[in-house]
Amino acid sequence: MSVSALAIQAFSEIDDQTCEQRIQAAREQLGERLVILGHHYQRDEVFQHTDFAGDSLKLSRQAADSAADYIVFCGVHFMAEVADILSRPEQVAILPDLSAGCSMADMADLNHVEKAWQELASVLDPDQHITPVTYINSAANLKAFCGSHGGIVCTSTNARSVLEWSFSQRDKVLFFPDQHLGRNTGFAMDIPLDQMVIWDYDQPMGGLSKEQIDQAKIILWKGFCSVHQMFQPEQIDNFKQRYPETKIIAHPESPFEVCQKSDYVGSTEYIINTIRDAEPGTRWLVATELNLVNRLHEQYKHEGKNVHFMSPTVCMCSTMFRIDPQHLLWVLENLLAGNVVNQIKVPEEVAEQARLALDRMLEVSS
Ligand code: 13P
Ligand code: SF4
C-alpha cells in the first residue's frame, strides 16, 4: 500500500492518556508483526508498552531472535542500528524519534579512530598488537572498523570477557568511546592505572609519547557519559554519614572513584536484579539514570527496600527521554496505514563488518 505518511505534527498535541489507549489498540492490530523493545532508561509512559525491556546486551539478543516484521526500538540510535544489523534483511528497525542519539557515542567518529590507528602505526603495527574494542554505544561504522581490524564490541555486561578475549588475540587494546567503562573493567582485571592511558583525539598522537604507548595495556578514548559523570564520591560519603548501612551500586560508566567506593558495579540489568534479590529493609544508593532509579524506588518500596538516586541534582538521559508516547503512537499508526517512518537502515557493506564484531561479542558472552 502506498499512502502518504501521517505527519508527526498531528500527534504532538495528543495527551498521554489518549496516546496510551491508541498505542494499545495499534499493538493489538499489528499483533505478531510488531515487537517493541525498550531500554531500562525509558520513561514510564513509554516503558509500559514494551514487549521486552533490557540492557544493551539483552536487547541485542532479543532483536537477533525476533520474528516480527517491525522492531520498534524505544532507546537510542545505536541500539536501533544494532537491531537492524542483527535482524534478518526483510525485518524493519524503527527509532520513534531520530534525534534520540547518545552523546557518548558521538564522542568517537570513524575519522578520528582511523587517524588514531594511523598514528599508532608510527609506534607499532596496530593490526599485530592492538585489538580495537568498541563499546556498543557507538556508531555502526565504528563497529565495522572493529570487525575489519580483528576487533570486537562490548557492553557493560560483558566488558570483562570481551577484554579477556581481546588480550588473548593481541597484547594491547584500544577502547572507545567510554574511558570509564574501559578503566573500571581493566582495573578489576588487575591492570594498573598507569598502564591505562588516555587517547585525547584532539591532540597529535593522542597527546601520548612513544614510551607511554609502549607501556600501555589499554589505550582509553577520551569519551564519557554526561549522565554518569555527574556522580561523585563525595555524594556517597555524604549519604553514608546519614545512613551508614547503605549499599552502593553503580553503572560502570560512572567515574573510577565512584566505582571504587561501590559495593556492586554492573549493567542496568545487573542493578535491577541485585536490588530485586536484596533483603527487605535494605537501603540502596544507585548511580545510574534517573528514570530507572525512580522505577526501582516505586517497585520495591512496598518490600521495605529504600532505593535512592546518588546525585542531588537531576540527571536524566535527555536523548532517551526524546522517545515519548506521541512519537511511539505516530510510528505505530503509520505502520497500520501502510507506512514505515523513521526506519534505521545500516548500509550492507557497513553492516557486514559490524556484524563480525557483534557476533564475536555474542560468542564471547554466551
Ligand atoms: P546498559 O547496557 O547497562 O543498559 O547501558 C546502556 C547505557 O547506555 C547506559 O548508559
Ligand atoms: Fe548515552 Fe549516557 Fe544516555 Fe547511556 S545514559 S544512552 S551512555 S548519554
Side-chain angles (χ1 to χ4, degrees):
M1 196 187 339
S2 172
V3 283
S4 56
L6 309 172
I8 182 65
Q9 288 76 8
F11 288 75
S12 52
E13 298 299 312
I14 302 175
D15 64 75
D16 283 2
Q17 205 187 342
T18 308
C19 279
E20 185 179 333
Q21 289 158 0
R22 282 169 57 176
I23 290 169
Q24 273 167 10
R27 286 178 72 196
E28 275 166 35
Q29 284 187 66
L30 287 161
E32 291 184 357
R33 286 185 293 152
L34 168 74
V35 67
I36 302 181
L37 304 183
H39 187 263
H40 292 304
Y41 292 165
Q42 291 292 297
R43 51 166 99 188
D44 288 348
E45 309 87 272
V46 170
F47 194 79
Q48 61 172 336
H49 297 297
T50 55
D51 294 299
F52 297 100
D55 63 7
S56 304
L57 181 64
K58 194 169 159 189
L59 291 173
S60 306
R61 287 212 171 100
Q62 208 58 251
D65 293 347
S66 168
D69 299 338
Y70 307 116
I71 303 173
V72 173
F73 215 117
C74 296
V76 287
H77 192 268
F78 73 82
M79 295 178 176
E81 279 188 335
V82 170
D84 178 56
I85 294 166
L86 293 179
S87 57
R88 293 191 314 279
E90 65 277 15
Q91 290 176 293
V92 171
I94 293 172
L95 181 67
D97 186 338
L98 294 181
S99 66
C102 163
S103 54
M104 174 212 281
D106 294 342
M107 289 177 190
D109 64 43
L110 187 59
N111 283 342
H112 280 110
V113 171
E114 282 179 336
K115 181 167 165 276
W117 206 248
Q118 278 163 15
E119 290 183 335
L120 285 164
S122 67
V123 178
L124 38 67
D125 178 357
D127 284 291
Q128 289 286 319
H129 291 282
I130 305 179
T131 308
V133 179
T134 188
Y135 189 22
I136 197 163
N137 296 38
S138 58
N141 58 9
L142 290 185
K143 296 182 177 82
F145 176 91
C146 289
S148 58
H149 287 276
I152 187 166
V153 178
C154 78
T155 74
S156 55
T157 299
N158 55 27
R160 184 176 181 134
S161 326
V162 166
L163 282 186
E164 282 165 358
W165 177 87
S166 304
F167 287 122
S168 75
Q169 307 295 305
R170 299 172 188 171
D171 45 303
K172 295 182 196 294
V173 159
L174 174 63
F175 191 96
F176 44 88
D178 186 21
Q179 58 171 294
H180 297 295
L181 178 64
R183 187 182 295 107
N184 288 323
T185 310
F187 194 76
M189 294 167 67
D190 293 331
I191 299 175
L193 287 179
D194 61 6
Q195 289 180 22
M196 295 189 272
V197 293
I198 293 274
W199 183 273
D200 181 348
Y201 47 86
D202 283 328
Q203 291 194 46
M205 280 302 281
L208 297 172
S209 64
K210 180 183 179 310
E211 291 68 37
Q212 283 173 306
I213 293 167
D214 273 340
Q215 280 165 23
K217 285 295 284 177
I218 307 185
I219 302 166
L220 299 166
W221 200 256
K222 199 182 149 200
F224 58 87
C225 166
S226 48
V227 177
H228 288 84
Q229 78 152 8
M230 301 286 280
F231 303 117
Q232 299 299 326
E234 301 76 40
Q235 295 161 355
I236 300 177
D237 298 339
N238 292 342
F239 196 86
K240 277 202 152 181
Q241 275 178 4
R242 275 191 290 151
Y243 302 109
E245 78 286 5
T246 307
K247 296 276 180 221
I248 314 296
I249 189 161
H251 193 279
E253 288 172 15
S254 306
F256 178 72
E257 298 75 14
V258 169
C259 291
Q260 285 303 299
K261 277 185 180 270
S262 295
D263 300 293
Y264 304 89
V265 177
S267 76
T268 54
E269 193 79 11
Y270 172 84
I271 292 172
I272 292 166
N273 293 343
T274 306
I275 295 179
R276 180 198 63 198
D277 297 342
E279 294 296 320
T282 46
R283 190 176 295 280
W284 294 86
L285 187 64
V286 188
T288 198
E289 204 267 351
L290 186 60
N291 279 288
L292 172 56
V293 181
N294 281 344
R295 196 172 301 124
L296 287 170
H297 170 80
E298 286 302 316
Q299 208 168 346
Y300 292 112
K301 67 182 181 195
H302 309 292
E303 294 180 22
K305 296 178 197 172
N306 300 292
V307 179
H308 305 261
F309 186 57
M310 188 175 288
S311 169
T313 51
V314 171
C315 35
M316 277 194 322
C317 178
S318 57
T319 46
M320 286 273 182
F321 197 71
R322 296 228 166 108
I323 309 295
D324 59 15
Q326 288 72 20
H327 280 84
L328 180 56
L329 179 64
W330 171 64
V331 158
L332 299 188
E333 291 198 348
N334 263 299
L335 289 178
L336 284 173
N339 301 310
V340 171
V341 289
N342 283 11
Q343 179 173 4
I344 301 296
K345 188 81 202 136
V346 177
E348 188 42 38
E349 62 278 14
V350 175
E352 195 186 329
Q353 297 299 316
R355 206 173 291 120
L356 267 179
L358 282 161
D359 284 346
R360 285 179 192 134
M361 171 190 83
L362 292 173
E363 176 104 344
V364 163
S365 37
S366 60

